Amino acid sequence: MKKTSTRLADGRELIYYDLRDDSVRDATDRRPLDRTVTTSEIRRDPLLGDSVAIASHRQGRTYHPPADECPLCPSAGDRLSEIPDSSYDVVVFENRFPSLAGDSGRCEVVCFTSDHSASFGELTEEQAGLVLEAWTDRTSELSHLPSVEQVFCFENRGAEIGVTLQHPHGQIYAYPFTTPRTALMLRSAATHKEMTGGENLFDAVLERELAGERVVLEGEHWVAFVPYAAHWPYEVHLYPKRRVPDLLGLDEGARTEFPKVYLELLRRFDRIFGEGEAPTPYIAAWHQAPFGSLEEFDGVVREDFALHLELFTIRRTSGKLKFLAGSESGMNVFINDVPPERAAERLREVASS
């Protein structure tokens, strides 16, 4: 992998990740852009104890542009985009309309390929491996920023999810706090550790799932399963078998095997609902340990957390979506119409040949 960092016309950082060591990235951003002005503000809810990002400047962000005006495609002739070069393998750049900025963190965009019509599941194993390297490198770099406590790499795929740019891409949010979902996991891990005399909760969950009926696919270094209490109609958790707190902790064996396992999982997702159905909308979310202090979590340390990816779709059956209505949105109590055992069975049925 070759990494080349440059600046866009408005001062934002852009980084090329190339498969070839001899790649030259010297194209300049020719757009007449003013420096980005953001209004991001973090406000804490005194009742729930969580945080909300107030970012009014995002109202003006790019919204469903035609394919020939996609800002994530390479620049070509007089059509200038966020990527100055005429081609790329993987690109990461600071979001022009960030939810988090400055003392409130940082938001980045990750372009998985220059092919506008592709998807992550259509990448080669080599390309997917390069994306993993980019995620890992950005996790490392962002973790050293004084305003950052947790790094979250994720992909939203599909208009049903709310994606406004159809080019295959994901995002990285670097939060200035530990997110509520991670805090819940850490508190559960702390309680379990105390009640069992030191047993790791993530290890216990993984051991139970490996012995059960909800495993979807398994390799030497990774296992994917539908969790016992899945919130979403089709939800899969992907764990490395050796517990590590973040992407930086993955060993060579896990890094090498990841593209094969993950690409197979994404391709199965696109076959859940049968031939002729539109590509499955999904969210793919990496859960990593925070880099800040864990003192509030009663004896839990970073190494107790288990890196894992959660992949889920909001489509519950052909042509129908799972909406977060009163119970889910009002009380955060999910109601799942698809039994996790049946979801796992279906994902095994659609294994590729």
Side-chain angles (χ1 to χ4, degrees), residues 15 22 37 44 56 73-74 102 111 129 147 152 163 196 240 245 252 288 304 306:
I15 306 165
D22 59 354
V37 177
R44 188 164 181 80
S56 61
C73 287
C111 298
S147 63
F152 176 47
V163 174
T196 60
E252 192 59 35
Q288 306 191 79
D304 288 330

Side-chain angles (χ1 to χ4, degrees), residues 2 29 41 49 65 67 82 90 122 148 174 193 218 233 286 291 300 302 323 341:
K2 182 180 180 182
D29 185 1
E41 176 189 357
E82 289 281 67
V90 173
E122 294 172 326
V148 172
K193 189 175 185 178
E218 181 179 358
W286 280 109
F291 289 94
V300 169
R302 286 196 83 248
F323 292 101
E341 293 73 23

Side-chain angles (χ1 to χ4, degrees), residues 55-326:
S56 61
H57 62 277
R58 286 176 53 79
Q59 285 281 34
R61 65 187 184 275
T62 308
Y63 187 80
H64 292 298
D68 61 354
E69 296 179 16
C70 175
L72 306 185
C73 287
S75 293
D78 293 330
R79 186 183 61 76
L80 306 178
S81 72
E82 289 281 67
I83 296 90
D85 216 325
S86 59
S87 67
Y88 64 85
D89 291 335
V90 173
V91 164
V92 176
F93 60 87
E94 289 184 74
N95 197 321
R96 191 177 178 187
F97 304 97
S99 303
L100 309 166
D103 293 339
S104 298
R106 175 158 157 153
C107 292
E108 298 182 341
V109 177
V110 184
C111 298
F112 304 137
T113 172
S114 60
D115 185 352
H116 181 85
S117 61
S119 68
F120 199 119
E122 294 172 326
L123 299 181
T124 66
E125 290 185 19
E126 187 179 35
Q127 289 174 310
L130 183 62
V131 175
L132 177 62
E133 291 302 311
W135 282 331
T136 304
D137 181 70
R138 297 315 301 152
T139 296
S140 176
E141 293 291 326
L142 293 170
S143 71
H144 290 97
L145 296 180
S147 63
V148 172
E149 190 165 308
Q150 185 173 358
V151 179
F152 176 47
C153 307
F154 65 100
E155 179 192 1
N156 298 327
R157 192 257 191 127
E160 300 93 329
I161 297 294
V163 174
T164 58
L165 297 176
Q166 299 307 311
H167 194 103
H169 73 288
Q171 299 182 66
I172 302 176
Y173 276 22
Y175 297 102
F177 50 79
T178 297
T179 61
R181 188 173 179 87
T182 302
L184 283 174
M185 293 184 197
L186 291 169
R187 291 190 186 101
S188 295
T191 300
H192 185 86
K193 189 175 185 178
E194 181 180 3
M195 292 180 62
T196 60
E199 182 181 65
N200 183 276
L201 175 59
F202 294 97
D203 291 351
V205 168
L206 190 57
E207 182 179 359
R208 182 180 70 176
E209 295 293 357
L210 279 167
E213 59 181 314
R214 291 180 296 275
V215 172
V216 174
L217 59 89
E218 181 179 358
E220 181 182 354
H221 300 277
W222 295 86
V223 60
F225 57 87
V226 178
Y228 171 73
H231 289 59
W232 299 94
Y234 291 91
E235 174 182 340
V236 176
H237 293 190
L238 178 62
Y239 275 69
K241 290 184 177 179
R242 183 179 70 86
R243 174 166 43 91
V244 295
D246 52 41
L247 290 165
L248 303 172
L250 293 175
D251 60 24
E252 192 59 35
R255 292 185 180 281
T256 300
E257 186 181 76
F258 171 78
K260 180 178 180 180
V261 173
Y262 187 49
L263 290 173
E264 171 62 16
L265 194 57
L266 291 179
R267 290 162 186 169
R268 291 191 192 191
F269 253 59
D270 268 346
R271 291 193 291 269
I272 293 174
F273 304 103
E275 295 292 332
E277 189 72 38
T280 301
Y282 65 73
I283 293 175
W286 280 109
H287 292 265
Q288 306 191 79
F291 289 94
S293 171
L294 301 185
E295 290 182 2
E296 65 180 288
F297 301 108
D298 300 325
V300 169
V301 297
R302 286 196 83 248
E303 287 68 27
D304 288 330
F305 192 88
L307 167 76
H308 63 284
L309 181 141
E310 297 184 7
L311 173 69
F312 61 89
T313 179
I314 62 171
R315 185 179 291 164
R316 57 186 175 87
T317 190
S318 182
K320 297 179 181 179
L321 302 180
K322 164 65 178 177
F323 292 101
L324 300 189

